[in-house]
Amino acid sequence: MIKDIATPARTKEILNKYGFSFKKSLGQNFLIDTNVLRNIVGSADITENTGVIEVGPGIGALTEQLAKRAKKVVSFEIDQRLLPVLEDTLSPYDNVSIIHSDVLKADLQQAIEENFQGIEDIMVVANLPYYVTTPILMKFLEEHLPIRGIVVMIQAEVADRIAAKPGTKEYGALSIAAQYFAKAERVLTVPATVFVPQPRVDSAVLRLTIREEPAVTVSDESYFFQVFHACFANRRKTILNNLVHNLGPKERKQDIEEALNEAGIDPKRRGETLSLEEFASLSESLLKRFPRS
């Protein structure tokens, strides 16, 4: 009978066996609640035909639950000290591969081609380190990978920002960036007590379902991103002021005003009040006046 990794006793036993000490710089917080892990896996709709990419497996608690359900699991682990631990804890599962790499530097398309041949249903499932949540999520979204979706445990506050609607205080550039590529929903709240060591904040499970096409159509995706980031540069400023100071050049203020009017957007509004559709319209209007070379 294989004991689950994600119990307080088994986790302590593994950590003691290898003399493992947590590195704060790597944001290491290991889950010690099997029910929470099973809920995460359930939220991702993993089947025996699913390939899973995991980031930061730790000692293998989530990896184990994924391996029980999925066809293949590929986990990226940056901490070399955990490689022998994972080789031990995951030895009962022959459908798991550990890649010793920083996922932010990895060629994900190549990893998918090499590890998931014949697998059409691919999910990203992970308990992400808080300090690199946003860059990791955006890497998976921006690289247009052949994945169905992303289910991640992240800081509750960040989950709220990603899933936020226009007009709320949480809504911002991160909301738009994520929702451009995917439908976002917070599916589970997780207390700090189910981690070791315990983080200072609560966590949440976020589910991102990749859209077949982006939420809005724009002629220049990178410029669209530049526009909405400029609009949130200073949340207290109006859209007009933010664009003048962050998209510039400043002597083109009249052109920016004209673009806002053409898009049907009051220059005195603030970024958090605009929908994705309005940002797309604004981006196209600005692009006419500020052609990219």
Side-chain angles (χ1 to χ4, degrees):
M1 180 73 179
I2 301 171
K3 295 180 185 176
D4 282 329
I5 295 168
T7 66
R10 180 90 198 283
T11 298
K12 185 177 180 181
E13 174 191 317
I14 293 167
L15 296 176
N16 288 340
K17 178 180 178 180
Y18 287 91
F20 184 81
S21 57
F22 294 93
K23 272 191 180 178
K24 193 173 182 181
S25 62
L26 294 178
Q28 292 171 327
N29 301 92
F30 298 164
L31 276 159
I32 52 171
D33 188 312
T34 307
N35 287 330
V36 170
L37 290 169
R38 287 174 182 155
N39 285 333
I40 293 172
V41 177
S43 298
D45 295 322
I46 303 297
T47 74
E48 60 187 11
N49 297 314
T50 305
V52 179
I53 300 171
E54 185 192 16
V55 179
I59 59 173
L62 176 57
T63 324
E64 175 182 58
Q65 300 303 322
L66 291 166
K68 289 177 180 179
R69 296 272 290 274
K71 185 175 183 71
K72 178 76 183 283
V73 181
V74 174
S75 295
F76 288 86
E77 178 53 61
I78 195 172
D79 190 349
Q80 188 170 1
R81 300 175 305 152
L82 286 167
L83 301 184
V85 183
L86 289 164
E87 187 176 353
D88 178 8
T89 59
L90 298 174
S91 59
Y93 308 98
D94 60 5
N95 60 340
V96 176
S97 294
I98 305 297
I99 298 176
H100 178 219
S101 172
D102 179 351
V103 74
L104 289 173
K105 298 175 182 175
D107 184 334
L108 295 176
Q109 186 64 53
Q110 183 181 342
I112 288 172
E113 290 171 4
E114 291 178 353
N115 292 279
F116 298 125
Q117 288 184 1
I119 299 176
E120 295 184 1
D121 182 45
I122 302 172
M123 284 291 295
V124 177
V125 185
N127 171 24
L128 290 181
Y130 289 163
Y131 77 104
V132 284
T133 293
T134 300
I136 289 176
L137 283 178
M138 292 314 300
K139 179 178 174 69
F140 278 106
L141 291 170
E142 290 177 341
E143 292 191 3
H144 300 283
L145 301 167
I147 57 177
R148 170 165 54 88
I150 302 170
V151 172
V152 285
M153 172 93 72
I154 59 177
Q155 189 173 340
E157 179 186 336
V158 178
D160 287 339
R161 283 167 53 202
I162 291 173
K165 303 299 180 190
T168 62
K169 65 178 182 179
E170 292 84 12
Y171 185 72
L174 182 57
S175 320
I176 299 162
Q179 292 174 36
Y180 172 75
F181 293 109
K183 296 175 183 176
E185 55 186 325
R186 176 174 165 165
V187 295
L188 193 68
T189 299
V190 182
T193 51
V194 301
F195 293 91
V196 58
Q198 290 187 19
R200 294 179 181 176
V201 294
D202 283 346
S203 302
V205 176
L206 178 79
R207 178 166 57 208
L208 295 167
T209 304
I210 305 298
R211 302 178 190 272
E212 289 187 13
E213 297 291 338
V216 291
T217 302
V218 292
S219 54
D220 187 327
E221 192 174 276
S222 65
Y223 188 69
F224 169 66
F225 271 60
Q226 188 180 336
V227 167
F228 69 71
H229 276 289
C231 289
F232 285 100
N234 187 325
R235 293 182 72 98
R236 289 177 294 181
K237 287 186 176 180
T238 64
I239 299 170
L240 175 60
N241 282 337
N242 265 325
L243 288 172
V244 167
H245 287 93
N246 299 290
L247 198 64
K250 293 180 183 179
E251 63 267 18
R252 303 287 294 276
K253 180 177 179 180
Q254 185 177 346
D255 290 321
I256 294 174
E257 283 187 285
E258 288 176 1
L260 284 162
N261 289 328
E262 182 181 87
I265 298 168
D266 185 340
K268 293 179 182 177
R269 286 173 65 184
R270 287 179 167 77
E272 65 267 23
T273 69
L274 269 66
S275 65
L276 265 78
E277 290 76 14
E278 287 178 307
F279 275 115
S281 178
L282 174 58
S283 174
E284 297 303 294
S285 295
L286 286 165
L287 202 54
K288 291 179 191 175
R289 293 161 176 81
F290 300 90
R292 306 290 292 274
S293 56

